[in-house]
Amino acid sequence: MRALVIVPTYNESENLPLVARELLAMPGVHLIVVDDRSPDGTGDVADAVAASRPGRMTVLHRTGSRGFGRSYVEGMQRALIDGGADLICQMDADLSHLPSELPTLLDAAANADLVIGSRYVSGGRVVNWPKRRVLLSTFANHYVRWVTRIPVRDITSGFRCWRRELLLRMPLSRLRSDGYAFQVEMTWHARRAGARIVEVPITFVERRQGQSKLSGRMIMESVLLPLHLTARRLPGNRARCTI
Ligand SMILES: Nc1nc2c(ncn2[C@@H]2O[C@H](COP(=O)(O)OP(=O)(O)OP(=O)(O)O)[C@@H](O)[C@H]2O)c(=O)[nH]1
Ligand SMILES: [Mg+2]
């Protein structure tokens, strides 16, 4: 089964070659890097890696305003147009998501439409994160679960695999979020589409190089998005979720 991994990058010139090398060592895995004109030259680094692995890696160089969510939307649209992959995955470039755990997610997709790599199910772990980040992430997940009633333990996780058929049904061009709330909004639509959503435990490791892009604006978006989503909820929604 062919898998395509989308990796958004902004200033990840040191991390990206390591991630790409590990991912491309797996047969059947292809890569789309979506770079937002990183000032540190990540786009050029990505081009060089892609040139050394013909046919395995595509680099999208975005123009216009930078954004995490819109980068994923472009990468996903490209993945769906290219058409060769049964599974389309999401992963950070900063080695917080271990490439060695990708096969676990791919295997779980045999019985799911959306697989989420989870820090907060039994067996999941967070390594070296400052206490305030653990608290923020834990609180965010409780808040989103409380507001949306979606029974996913790690709804903000960015390590995911989608079945192509489900991703085709997502309203990619109509999403309202752009920061990490993107993950919540996509999960919301997946659930409404009746997707089988499964969480598998992952070990999340704090980045060793580069800087986080988490901003106050993103946190505010994450607070407001669940309220917007639930305010629009249709009465009698019978979406099915198997977790
Ligand atoms: N294309 C693009 N990628 C982005 C943007 N912001 C973040 N990214 C990438 O998205 C991924 C996640 O961003 P991080 O800064 O690691 O965010 P995080 O994992 O929540 O934060 P840390 O745990 O502190 O690293 C990384 O691969 C980033 O390079 C953006 O505006 N555009
Ligand atoms: Mg990170």
Side-chain angles (χ1 to χ4, degrees), residues 21 33 46 72 81 93-94 102 107 128 130 137 150 167 175 177 192 205-206 208 234:
R21 191 181 63 206
V33 171
Y72 261 127
I81 289 167
D94 57 4
L102 180 69
D107 288 349
N128 283 346
S137 172
I150 298 174
L167 197 56
L175 298 178
S177 57
R192 285 178 68 92
V205 186
E206 164 69 328
R208 269 175 284 172
L234 299 173

Side-chain angles (χ1 to χ4, degrees), residues 67-181:
F68 174 83
R70 63 192 84 180
S71 294
Y72 261 127
V73 167
E74 275 187 35
M76 287 171 168
Q77 286 170 333
R78 177 63 175 264
L80 292 172
I81 289 167
D82 284 356
D86 308 298
L87 298 174
I88 297 163
C89 305
Q90 303 173 230
M91 197 169 161
D92 289 356
D94 57 4
L95 291 163
S96 285
H97 300 146
L98 302 176
S100 58
E101 293 192 329
L102 180 69
T104 311
L105 273 72
L106 298 179
D107 288 349
N111 297 306
D113 304 304
L114 169 60
V115 180
I116 300 179
S118 177
R119 296 162 286 193
Y120 307 126
V121 293
S122 174
R125 287 200 309 142
V126 175
V127 176
N128 283 346
W129 237 12
K131 196 154 193 144
R132 65 189 160 76
R133 282 302 302 267
V134 177
L135 282 174
L136 182 63
S137 172
T138 306
F139 173 79
N141 270 289
H142 277 95
Y143 170 75
V144 173
R145 205 160 50 243
W146 177 63
V147 175
T148 65
R149 306 282 171 201
I150 298 174
V152 168
R153 309 295 305 177
D154 195 354
I155 199 165
T156 57
S157 170
F159 197 7
R160 297 173 169 222
C161 285
W162 296 79
R163 279 198 165 273
R164 174 187 176 73
E165 299 77 25
L166 176 61
L167 197 56
L168 273 168
R169 295 168 64 200
M170 295 296 101
L172 292 176
S173 53
R174 287 186 280 115
L175 298 178
R176 56 190 309 150
S177 57
D178 196 34
Y180 305 130

